[in-house]
Amino acid sequence: MYAERVVSGMRPTGALHLGHYHGVLANWIKLQHEYPCLFFVADWHALTTQYDDPRRIHENAMDMVVDWLAAGLDPNQATIFIQSRVPEHAELHLLMSMMTPLGWLERVPTYKDQQEKLSHKDLSTYGFLGYPLLMSADILIYRANKVPVGEDQIPHLEFSREIARRFNHLFGREPDFENKAKEAVRKLGSKKARLYDELRTRFQQDGDKAALERAQALLEEVQHLSVIDRERLFGYLEGTGKMILAEPEALLTEASKMPGLDGAKMSKSYGNAIALRETPEEVTRKVRAMPTDPARMRRTDPGDPQKCPVWQLHRVYSDNACREWVQEGCASAGIGCVECKQPVIEGILKELAPMRERARHYGENPGIVKAILADGCEKARDLAKETMRDVREAMGVEYN
Ligand code: TRP
Ligand code: SF4
């Protein structure tokens, strides 16, 4: 019913690392060639947990956008913007809050989980409880049907679907839709009305797409119907009232295969990350310092790649021949760990070189980044405004 559209957001965490790249960004970069995409900095979401220390959010946001661009997000392919610069998200959030049952929010599993995990913060706030609803607004306002997210965000997506359904149920249908639709059918005149009914039945009972298309063509031709009657007849054909918000679907992002330098998940707070803008010297130093299979105390001790975090990086960066060389050389003590790490270092440097170059370009020209964001915000806003017009009308808060 609606054109395909992808939307996703990221909280501004500052400069990104290889874990972000191999997990989320590479996927976004692929999607931008396949669908119209909107990607934004979720700075309001950052405030839900960082309201007591908001100073870094702006800087983190700008650093993150530079890294998006450096990694290959293309402003000519995707719309890149900042959540707080599209205030319609806040308006939709507010209006939807009127019909959001408190229990639905309290039952989202991330609510209690995050409160426990971040127990040093007071997260018994209105804003934090509303996190999933704000996220729903981010998605529903673009009538996006595809939302690339990690596993941890799946409950929020499910929540967004339920909110869209509830909204459409409450506001998407005229109170007397069925009768008004039938009346509109009669206005087609008896011959066309009979044809319409027949085609509608064929579509609804047998899923006959051709029948649907014929009926739609028939409606296109009719001259004397009012706009609203036509709308009703289009909606009635497909068995829906007027759909105002579209139910989004999660596009599950596979967990990154890129582990941290110690084999655990890569994360800035674990100190095991390689930033996208890391210098070649730092990359080399960090990989050289990586722990290896503890069994290889001496160069002459054989090892087992399965017990070594360096092997995980070979799985990301090395071809089959190199991997065989590692397997063989490690088990027979034929190669040393310093040697073994070299192709990994080269793989990472090769991947990061163009990113560092682009990051430098954008870092030195903040005006370009600002212009990209201004353009993205404007495009996003145009789409958001369209949806808000329908939402306001449906909820009776339109004063024109
Ligand atoms: N909550 C998401 C996260 O932490 C970020 C986010 C905010 C988001 N709004 C969104 C993701 C809308 C997808 C769509 O990862
Ligand atoms: Fe790890 Fe390579 Fe050393 Fe084996 S040779 S322990 S895989 S670094």
Side-chain angles (χ1 to χ4, degrees):
M1 169 169 300
Y2 295 107
E4 301 247 84
R5 187 176 290 155
V6 167
V7 70
S8 196
M10 214 188 272
R11 278 170 298 166
T13 48
L16 302 181
H17 54 60
L18 280 171
H20 297 115
Y21 178 70
H22 285 275
V24 182
L25 280 179
N27 189 38
W28 284 13
I29 290 162
K30 178 171 74 80
L31 287 169
Q32 72 182 347
H33 301 294
E34 298 170 357
Y35 303 100
C37 289
L38 296 138
F39 298 119
F40 67 94
V41 179
D43 57 340
W44 280 334
H45 277 104
L47 273 176
T48 64
T49 53
Q50 245 171 279
Y51 59 86
D52 54 346
D53 182 21
R55 281 164 314 214
R56 294 292 304 280
I57 294 177
H58 180 264
E59 191 188 325
N60 283 347
M62 297 312 283
D63 273 344
M64 188 167 82
V65 171
V66 166
D67 279 352
W68 286 0
L69 297 167
L73 218 56
D74 178 353
N76 294 316
Q77 300 276 349
T79 303
I80 302 171
F81 67 101
I82 311 268
Q83 181 187 38
S84 64
R85 296 265 303 268
V86 186
E88 284 77 8
H89 290 219
E91 190 189 2
L92 182 57
H93 174 242
L94 175 97
L95 289 177
M96 293 194 308
S97 77
M98 306 302 171
M99 46 130 259
T100 301
L102 209 45
W104 288 18
L105 283 166
E106 287 164 341
R107 275 196 299 274
V108 176
T110 47
Y111 178 57
K112 288 260 151 51
D113 288 356
Q114 289 295 103
Q115 275 191 335
E116 278 165 25
K117 225 167 148 189
L118 303 173
S119 58
H120 55 289
K121 292 194 175 170
D122 182 3
L123 292 184
S124 44
T125 58
Y126 182 47
F128 185 69
L129 178 67
Y131 189 110
L133 188 64
L134 180 57
M135 182 163 161
S136 305
D138 297 338
I139 299 166
L140 300 176
I141 204 158
Y142 299 109
R143 293 166 162 159
N145 60 340
K146 292 193 155 58
V147 186
V149 284
E151 183 125 50
D152 61 318
Q153 299 294 316
I154 296 292
H156 295 158
L157 248 289
E158 188 46 41
F159 178 84
S160 303
R161 297 167 60 81
E162 280 167 9
I163 290 293
R165 234 175 281 146
R166 181 165 166 81
F167 187 98
N168 288 334
H169 174 71
L170 284 170
F171 309 115
R173 222 172 231 280
E174 295 172 286
D176 205 16
F177 179 76
E178 187 94 16
N179 282 329
K180 285 190 176 142
K182 282 185 181 151
E183 217 169 281
V185 177
R186 275 195 293 278
K187 288 184 196 160
L188 287 171
S190 60
K191 225 173 109 196
K192 286 198 171 115
R194 210 174 317 120
L195 181 58
Y196 175 95
D197 276 335
E198 190 195 312
L199 293 169
R200 177 173 177 271
T201 309
R202 268 171 42 199
F203 173 65
Q204 295 207 343
Q205 289 182 359
D206 318 323
D208 183 343
K209 283 250 166 72
L212 173 67
E213 278 161 24
R214 272 186 65 199
Q216 286 167 336
L218 179 140
L219 293 178
E220 297 287 356
E221 279 166 26
V222 183
Q223 304 283 330
H224 61 278
L225 279 183
S226 68
V227 173
I228 184 73
D229 273 337
R230 265 168 69 117
E231 275 287 298
R232 286 182 184 121
L233 289 179
F234 275 110
Y236 191 51
L237 256 185
E238 294 183 74
T240 54
K242 205 165 148 194
M243 266 243 296
I244 298 179
L245 299 176
E247 283 181 44
E249 222 176 276
L251 275 183
L252 186 61
T253 310
E254 273 180 57
S256 169
K257 287 194 188 68
M258 181 78 199
L261 293 163
D262 54 1
K265 184 179 149 88
M266 187 178 279
S267 156
K268 197 156 76 180
S269 57
Y270 297 163
N272 64 358
I274 293 178
L276 298 186
R277 282 184 252 174
E278 207 94 61
T279 63
E281 296 72 35
E282 266 300 282
V283 171
T284 307
R285 193 189 64 72
K286 283 185 168 177
V287 176
R288 292 234 167 101
M290 279 179 73
T292 57
D293 177 358
R296 294 205 73 181
M297 297 267 283
R298 282 173 300 251
R299 165 70 176 77
T300 48
D301 295 330
D304 177 0
Q306 292 308 326
K307 295 180 181 151
C308 177
V310 178
W311 170 246
Q312 301 304 321
L313 297 189
H314 275 292
R315 292 183 43 191
V316 176
Y317 290 101
S318 302
D319 58 19
N320 279 336
C322 180
R323 289 189 210 175
E324 269 166 38
W325 170 78
V326 173
Q327 291 283 359
E328 221 280 308
C330 183
S332 65
I335 60 170
C337 293
V338 178
E339 245 175 306
C340 178
K341 287 171 174 177
Q342 197 53 35
V344 167
I345 294 173
E346 280 158 24
I348 296 174
L349 291 182
K350 194 168 159 209
E351 182 171 66
L352 292 186
M355 294 192 209
R356 201 167 33 246
E357 190 47 40
R358 281 193 292 262
R360 196 179 52 76
H361 167 70
Y362 289 115
E364 285 170 2
N365 298 284
I368 301 181
V369 179
K370 278 193 187 152
I372 289 170
L373 288 173
D375 180 56
C377 290
E378 197 182 308
K379 285 193 188 129
R381 241 187 134 176
D382 284 344
L383 296 171
K385 280 179 182 161
E386 257 175 56
T387 308
M388 284 317 295
R389 229 174 278 136
D390 293 348
V391 167
R392 286 191 205 111
E393 187 197 17
M395 289 186 77
V397 285
E398 168 103 299
Y399 295 88
N400 285 330

